[in-house]
Amino acid sequence: MPALIIIDMQKAVEDPSWTRYGPRNNPGAEEAGIALLEAWRAAGRPIYHVRHDSVEPQSTYRPGQPGNEFKDGFSPREGETLIVKSTGSAFIRTPLEKMLRDRGESTLIFAGVSTNHCIDANVRNASDLGFTVFVAEDACFTFAKPDWTGTVRTAEEVHAMTLGNLQGEYCQVVNSRELITAIRS
């Protein structure tokens, strides 16, 4: 049974520091993510919410501040699993892998923040662990950032390159509408 894993959809990314190099991409990512979440709920399929509890003092994801809270519409409901992580991947020092294996959930759908950080880390780990992985590209987003030479890349470029690196070898990149259609049929 495919499990939906929503990564770090927290208010931390609303802090202006995230857009210091330019605007984020996929302004409709939250809407697509909520539609995906609601379709999974309606189908009674497994849902995992991943919350990043940063241990870095300056992080907007640090517990005890507003950024640690889930974005509106993304809080876990009764019966949905919450995984708390402090690294980029929810497979590191958490019970996620064991839970998925114990429950026979071998196909994973990822959505969330940010494409080139935690989505990338989780997708690679899940694939390396033998899971079948899909990424809902329109339910993920990232931010503009400089490359290693100092050239600022737009959020669209960072998003597209990250998904290009993952596609085929680590996952199948799809649109949330495709997943919603599949879960309903």
Side-chain angles (χ1 to χ4, degrees), residues 53-111:
D53 283 2
S54 179
V55 295
E56 299 298 321
Q58 301 305 315
S59 175
T60 58
Y61 280 102
R62 198 178 71 254
Q65 60 182 350
N68 190 253
E69 297 171 16
F70 283 103
K71 288 175 148 288
D72 293 344
F74 288 97
S75 295
R77 291 186 183 167
E78 187 174 332
E80 297 173 355
T81 304
L82 172 63
I83 300 292
V84 178
K85 68 178 180 64
S86 60
T87 67
S89 176
F91 291 94
I92 306 299
R93 295 190 302 271
T94 75
L96 179 59
E97 180 186 2
K98 182 173 180 356
M99 287 178 169
L100 293 167
R101 296 209 189 279
D102 288 350
R103 297 170 182 174
E105 297 158 358
S106 60
T107 299
L108 310 179
I109 314 301
F110 285 96

Side-chain angles (χ1 to χ4, degrees), residues 82-145:
L82 172 63
I83 300 292
V84 178
K85 68 178 180 64
S86 60
T87 67
S89 176
F91 291 94
I92 306 299
R93 295 190 302 271
T94 75
L96 179 59
E97 180 186 2
K98 182 173 180 356
M99 287 178 169
L100 293 167
R101 296 209 189 279
D102 288 350
R103 297 170 182 174
E105 297 158 358
S106 60
T107 299
L108 310 179
I109 314 301
F110 285 96
V113 184
S114 70
T115 313
N116 59 308
H117 289 120
C118 295
I119 294 296
D120 183 273
N122 281 278
V123 166
R124 288 173 186 267
N125 281 172
S127 177
D128 287 346
L129 290 166
F131 293 95
T132 299
V133 181
F134 294 85
V135 175
E137 61 85 18
D138 60 325
C140 299
F141 64 93
T142 194
F143 300 89
K145 117 180 225 110

Side-chain angles (χ1 to χ4, degrees), residues 4 6 28-42 73-74 138-139 176-177 179-180 183-184:
L4 177 62
I6 303 196
E30 287 88 347
E31 184 179 333
I34 288 173
L36 198 55
L37 184 56
E38 291 305 322
W40 241 254
R41 285 173 172 155
F74 288 97
D138 60 325
S176 65
R177 290 181 304 280
L179 294 165
I180 291 168
I183 201 77
R184 289 180 177 158

